[in-house]
Amino acid sequence: MLQKKGKRLPAWKGVLSRREVYAQTIAELLRKEHGDSHRAVKQLMRQTDASERTVKHWLSGQHGPDTVYFLRLVVSSPVIRAFVLGLIEGPASRRRPDPVDRYSLAAAKDAYAVGEAALSLPNQGHRNNDPEHDPDRDPIDDPETAELNERQHWFLARVAEGGRCGAAEIMAMWKVSLKTARRDIRGLQQASLLVYVGSRRKGRYRRVQ
């Protein structure tokens, strides 16, 4: 609750007092559950679909997971889920006299349904048909990698010209590995600059205008 007078707001205490404290707390919890080996990094990447660099930042305490990543950890990690429940039951939480608020519960169910519906089926179908899509491939959705490289600019230009091309063309032109070529394409898709349309065999990439 805000103070009635004055300009200063009441300060948070504990693990939510500063971003640095939050990051260190999450790092300790994740290391407690998974350790800090390369295997732990891969496990967290699978759980959250975050990049290797992002997960390493979490484990080192450089920064904590934000928004969607944190929610994915709440769903997939019993340790993080217990941490959240501890916050809810902590002294900073505003207690309601009624332990079961049916209106809040109904609103939560509606919000969850809206979130699930946001994953449109047409987009999922296009991604599944994409010949470069591999669910076991290392994710790259790291906010620090948003800037396009020279290969990606070249690929967008080729697609805009109407050419039917894919990872193989990037490999041949730039002498890079298949994994790197697929990562370039995936980055363009995640930046909403590219979409795959059609069947897996006869489909093609199209630039998003």
Side-chain angles (χ1 to χ4, degrees):
M1 181 178 295
L2 298 179
Q3 299 174 353
K4 294 183 178 179
K5 296 181 179 181
K7 296 183 179 180
R8 297 191 62 182
L9 301 176
W12 279 88
K13 299 180 180 180
V15 297
L16 300 181
S17 61
R18 298 192 312 276
R19 288 183 177 273
E20 296 83 1
V21 179
Y22 163 71
Q24 288 295 332
T25 301
I26 295 297
E28 292 177 7
L29 292 172
L30 293 178
R31 289 197 297 265
K32 179 179 180 181
E33 181 178 7
H34 298 283
D36 57 0
S37 64
H38 186 67
R39 183 177 180 182
V41 173
K42 291 294 183 181
Q43 176 65 26
L44 286 168
M45 288 170 64
R46 284 192 292 269
Q47 285 182 213
T48 63
D49 202 29
S51 71
E52 182 175 358
R53 178 169 55 178
T54 296
V55 172
K56 286 181 177 179
H57 284 174
W58 298 344
L59 290 173
S60 65
Q62 293 186 39
H63 61 71
D66 293 329
T67 54
V68 173
Y69 290 139
F70 181 76
L71 293 175
R72 288 174 181 171
L73 284 172
V74 171
V75 172
S76 61
S77 167
V79 172
I80 299 300
R81 188 157 54 247
F83 165 70
V84 172
L85 292 176
L87 290 176
I88 294 174
E89 296 299 326
S93 174
R94 294 181 60 186
R95 304 300 179 87
R96 302 186 67 89
D98 185 358
V100 179
D101 184 344
R102 58 176 181 167
Y103 298 106
S104 297
L105 183 60
K109 289 181 178 180
D110 290 342
Y112 179 81
V114 170
E116 290 295 304
L119 298 174
S120 60
L121 293 178
N123 289 337
Q124 289 181 355
H126 291 162
R127 184 180 178 186
N128 292 335
N129 289 339
D130 186 347
E132 312 302 345
H133 172 60
D134 180 0
D136 295 326
R137 189 170 70 252
D138 289 346
I140 65 161
D141 48 343
D142 187 345
E144 299 178 18
T145 61
E147 185 176 353
L148 302 185
N149 59 43
E150 191 175 3
R151 297 185 304 272
Q152 289 173 315
H153 283 295
W154 174 85
F155 190 77
L156 281 177
R158 284 291 304 275
V159 171
E161 293 171 357
R164 188 173 183 271
C165 52
E169 283 69 28
I170 297 179
M171 293 172 58
M173 177 65 185
W174 297 93
K175 303 297 187 280
V176 296
S177 67
L178 177 61
K179 183 177 181 180
T180 297
R182 284 177 168 175
R183 185 183 293 116
D184 287 339
I185 294 175
R186 177 77 182 279
L188 293 172
Q189 291 175 313
Q190 291 182 334
S192 299
L193 297 174
L194 196 70
V195 64
Y196 187 84
V197 295
S199 66
R200 188 178 182 86
R201 292 185 59 188
K202 297 183 179 181
R204 64 176 57 201
Y205 292 102
R206 287 185 180 175
R207 185 168 182 173
V208 178
Q209 301 298 329

